[in-house]
Amino acid sequence: MITEKTKNYQTRIIDEKVEEQLDAFGAVLLRGPKWSGKTTTSEYYANSAIYLDDYDRQEEYEMINKSNVGAFLLGESPHLIDEWQTFPKTWDAVRRFCDRSPEKTSLFILTGSYSPKQGNTKHTGSMRISTLDMETMSLWESGESSGDVSFISLFDRHTEIVGKAKLSREGVTKAIVRGGWPVAVLNEKKNPLVYGKQALRSICSTDLKEATGVEVDPNTALALIKSLARNITIPVKNETLISDMAESGNPVVESTFYLYLNGLRRLFVLRDVPAWNPNIRSATSIRSLPKKEFYETSVACAALNLGVDALSKDYITRGYFFESMCGRDLSVYASKYDGALSYYRDRFKLECDFVIHLPDGRYGLFECKCGDGFIEEGATHLNELEKLIRKHRSENPNVHMEMPSCKVILTDGDLAFRRPDGVLVIPLSCLKP
């Protein structure tokens, strides 16, 4: 039955997880970048709500927070508490309510656009409050993928792979610049960069202050984000970022750098993709520094003032940004199956942009390449890494290590196919979960 509540709702991949967790826990926390759709999704499942970031009611809410924080919990279940971290005591109140209520599931939905600093809550909420990470829209969710190829089918070596991309190369560039913000997807403008610029302005002017709890310098914040954008998808050392900021005219002391960097992590502007460290080379050969990835390529584009035309003309930078968008989509699709992302790189220049591990032990190797001329390079990397794994298995028969279930090159091309060497060439805009 279509109701006022359901007729305009844009379904999200995370929906199934929300339903599953509500059925199992007293409360579910949806956290992720601002404007990623957390509130809209939560409203879809909630029967009542309170919005703690409502600035028109901040004075009232401040008094409630001091006298009786339990008032924030009043409402028909599931009750939505939006931006709970505005008043951190709410977390412990929810946890206590879940402990004492005869009903043990589907009591609350919480949303959070940043993680409060450690110590602001007294209890983890373990086994009472389930946490789900929500991202901006993947190409499948935004309707920009044909869905001809299923992500999970890639891990089945016998699946026939046939598909056609929905986006042209120009369309892929536009999606990189615009981002996956629901408001951007549903209200496209002539200049797709406007959404990333607005997000960047908010991060530097107000959001970072909220996340860190201290006054921040917007120019220093912007300088850091610019440096991160220039090093997008690269496992860069923090010392390099500090040096880069100084060279650009924005010197920063180490303690301030880490304050801002951790603030960007808490805001879900930045994520660390860990290095995969299989025992296939000596420990000193494998690079273990995490990649600092943007949740949203549009923010990185805005920081460097890269619109569609500028990014189209800089094919090297576009390749890095395409890899970052691939990481977002792979993260969204893998989360449906509780998969985990990492990457591989060693001192012999053998690399793999993303390694995705599934809970059942299967894993896949993914390279991201723009332009048909780089597909062979990506296939060489994947085949060499597979060969190294096979050699390790033969030399260490008592050490169990599975062979990769798939070798995939994600592209901005138009056709999906399987190469004679087993490498799958898949346009990003024909993938679905």
Side-chain angles (χ1 to χ4, degrees):
M1 178 181 176
I2 298 177
T3 66
E4 287 297 320
K5 186 176 182 180
T6 62
K7 68 179 182 180
N8 294 319
Y9 179 65
Q10 182 88 13
T11 58
R12 304 293 297 272
I13 291 170
I14 203 173
D15 288 351
E16 185 177 316
K17 288 288 184 183
V18 173
E19 294 176 3
E20 174 188 272
Q21 299 301 300
L22 278 174
D23 192 48
F25 295 93
V28 174
L29 165 64
L30 274 184
R31 63 182 189 179
K34 277 191 174 182
W35 311 305
S36 58
K38 302 182 300 299
T39 301
T40 301
T41 293
S42 298
E43 287 173 335
Y44 179 72
Y45 291 100
N47 287 318
S48 62
I50 186 171
Y51 303 89
L52 296 184
D53 64 344
D54 184 345
Y55 292 106
D56 292 335
R57 305 188 66 178
Q58 283 305 291
E59 185 176 344
E60 174 190 354
Y61 288 165
E62 287 281 2
M63 289 188 291
I64 293 174
N65 183 57
K66 292 177 182 178
S67 60
N68 182 20
V69 72
F72 292 149
L73 279 55
L74 299 177
E76 184 181 354
S77 300
H79 177 56
L80 166 61
I81 305 175
D82 194 45
E83 300 296 352
W84 74 270
Q85 77 287 335
T86 307
F87 299 103
K89 289 194 296 184
T90 305
W91 181 273
D92 293 316
V94 168
R95 191 263 306 173
R96 288 193 300 271
F97 190 100
C98 291
D99 278 345
R100 297 167 182 171
S101 173
E103 300 294 331
K104 295 301 181 184
T105 62
S106 300
L107 297 173
F108 300 100
I109 305 173
L110 290 75
T111 71
S113 296
Y114 63 88
S115 304
K117 291 195 295 185
Q118 192 171 5
N120 280 0
T121 60
K122 295 180 180 179
H123 196 281
T124 63
S126 178
M127 301 306 292
R128 288 89 158 179
I129 306 173
S130 169
T131 300
L132 294 173
D133 290 339
M134 186 171 187
E135 305 199 31
T136 55
M137 284 182 163
S138 63
L139 294 184
W140 170 248
E141 291 171 297
S142 65
E144 294 168 297
S145 173
S146 66
D148 288 345
V149 179
S150 167
F151 164 82
I152 196 63
S153 73
L154 301 177
F155 294 82
D156 184 348
R157 295 183 178 91
H158 306 292
T159 298
E160 182 180 1
I161 299 297
V162 178
K164 184 174 176 60
K166 188 168 184 177
L167 291 180
S168 63
R169 285 195 166 97
E170 182 182 357
V172 169
T173 307
K174 182 179 178 181
I176 292 171
V177 173
R178 182 206 63 209
W181 316 101
V183 64
V185 170
L186 299 174
N187 302 281
E188 291 204 31
K189 302 298 181 184
K190 291 182 179 179
N191 179 13
L193 193 59
V194 298
Y195 299 103
K197 283 188 173 182
Q198 179 57 46
L200 178 65
R201 188 178 299 113
S202 178
I203 291 165
C204 295
S205 62
T206 59
D207 299 347
L208 196 55
K209 177 182 176 180
E210 291 180 5
T212 59
V214 300
E215 291 291 337
V216 300
D217 178 15
N219 291 326
T220 302
L222 179 59
L224 173 55
I225 295 173
K226 282 184 176 180
S227 181
L228 289 163
R230 284 191 289 267
N231 292 280
I232 195 168
T233 77
I234 298 172
V236 61
K237 294 182 178 179
N238 291 333
E239 293 81 2
T240 302
L241 295 171
I242 293 173
S243 176
D244 186 34
M245 292 173 68
E247 289 177 7
S248 67
N250 293 274
V252 63
V253 298
E254 192 171 298
S255 58
T256 301
F257 169 81
Y258 284 107
L259 175 72
Y260 284 41
L261 184 68
N262 291 330
L264 293 177
R265 289 190 179 109
R266 287 202 296 273
L267 281 169
F268 304 98
V269 173
L270 201 66
R271 71 167 126 222
D272 289 329
V273 177
W276 181 45
N277 289 304
N279 187 25
I280 56 176
R281 289 203 194 274
S282 68
T284 57
S285 297
I286 298 177
R287 303 309 189 201
S288 58
L289 201 66
K291 291 198 296 184
K292 296 178 178 67
E293 290 276 12
F294 281 84
Y295 276 86
E296 250 306 328
T297 54
S298 61
V299 174
C301 286
L304 300 182
N305 201 29
L306 289 172
V308 175
D309 289 342
L311 192 60
S312 298
K313 294 172 184 176
D314 187 348
Y315 72 92
I316 294 177
T317 300
R318 183 181 180 277
Y320 288 131
F321 278 64
F322 175 71
E323 179 183 330
S324 186
M325 186 169 73
C326 288
R328 179 202 65 192
D329 280 20
L330 288 174
S331 177
V332 173
Y333 301 153
S335 67
K336 179 178 172 66
Y337 307 100
D338 297 319
L341 267 67
S342 58
Y343 81 97
Y344 178 86
R345 193 164 297 178
D346 62 34
R347 66 181 177 89
F348 303 101
K349 296 185 179 180
L350 181 58
E351 63 181 30
C352 181
D353 293 330
F354 296 102
V355 183
I356 300 182
H357 286 264
L358 299 179
D360 61 10
R362 290 180 294 169
Y363 68 96
L365 310 177
F366 292 77
E367 278 276 86
C368 310
K369 298 296 179 185
C370 287
D372 299 334
F374 294 96
I375 289 178
E376 196 62 42
E377 175 187 314
T380 298
H381 287 162
L382 295 174
N383 288 326
E384 286 182 357
L385 183 52
E386 183 186 49
K387 182 179 179 181
L388 185 62
I389 295 169
R390 183 175 285 109
K391 178 182 178 183
H392 175 76
R393 281 166 51 95
S394 65
E395 293 176 350
N396 301 273
N398 295 324
V399 178
H400 180 71
M401 183 177 185
E402 295 285 350
M403 292 297 295
S405 298
C406 59
K407 300 172 293 180
V408 181
I409 300 175
L410 294 176
T411 78
D412 61 348
D414 60 347
L415 294 176
F417 59 93
R418 186 187 299 271
R419 288 166 44 107
D421 58 6
V423 173
L424 304 175
V425 179
I426 311 291
L428 183 63
S429 68
C430 75
L431 264 186
K432 67 177 180 181

